[in-house]
Each structure stands twice: as C-alpha cells, then as structure tokens.
Amino acid sequence: MDFTVENVKSKLFELQDLEYKAFHSRLMPTISPETIIGVRTPALRKFAKEMAKYEDVEMFMQDLPHEFYEENNLQGFII
C-alpha cells in the first residue's frame, strides 16, 4: 500500500463522522475544530492495525508534525 500523507488523510476523511466531530470538538475547547476530522476511535484503531502491517507506513510516521488530531492518534496507535 502507499501510505503517503495525502493518502492517509484521504482515508481519514472517508472515515469522517461530522456529528462525532462536533461532539469531540466540544470536549477539547483548546483544540481548533479545523484540526479535528471526526474519526471514531474504533475506526482509527482498525486503520492503524491495517497500516502497521506494511513497511512503507514509515513514510507517514516520519512526516511530522501532523496537521490533524486524528493523525497524531493514528501514529500513537501504530506505535
């Protein structure tokens, strides 16, 4: 698989839940809502498990800092 940052972001936006984004944004008032995609944790964990199987996940892991909250969580789940 190709885990470029653009491909990972695209997949995260496919998993987006706008109602969850609104809810989650209210839980973190110090985090800008523009940096939250709104991916539920079980979906994020499943995606991380899938990504961790491939060596080219390093492309995503080394591209820091991440733009979105979910990218940071995804990195943590992969580790």
Side-chain angles (χ1 to χ4, degrees):
M1 293 189 91
D2 182 20
F3 292 112
T4 61
V5 175
E6 294 79 24
N7 288 346
V8 172
K9 284 181 187 179
S10 174
K11 177 64 175 176
L12 289 173
F13 275 99
E14 287 176 23
L15 299 171
Q16 182 179 48
D17 181 335
L18 293 176
E19 288 180 23
Y20 183 71
K21 176 183 178 172
F23 166 75
H24 207 81
S25 294
R26 287 190 304 272
L27 294 177
M28 303 181 303
T30 60
I31 305 294
S32 171
E34 290 82 32
T35 64
I36 299 172
I37 297 172
V39 180
R40 293 182 179 269
T41 301
L44 203 55
R45 283 189 179 136
K46 183 177 179 182
F47 185 40
K49 188 175 181 179
E50 177 185 326
M51 286 179 69
K53 296 177 185 176
Y54 298 95
E55 287 185 25
D56 63 344
V57 72
E58 288 300 319
M59 291 186 331
F60 169 74
M61 299 290 282
Q62 293 178 6
D63 186 50
L64 297 171
H66 294 302
E67 180 180 358
F68 293 101
Y69 171 78
E70 284 83 357
E71 290 176 301
N72 291 321
N73 286 345
L74 187 61
Q75 179 141 356
F77 291 146
I78 293 169
I79 291 171

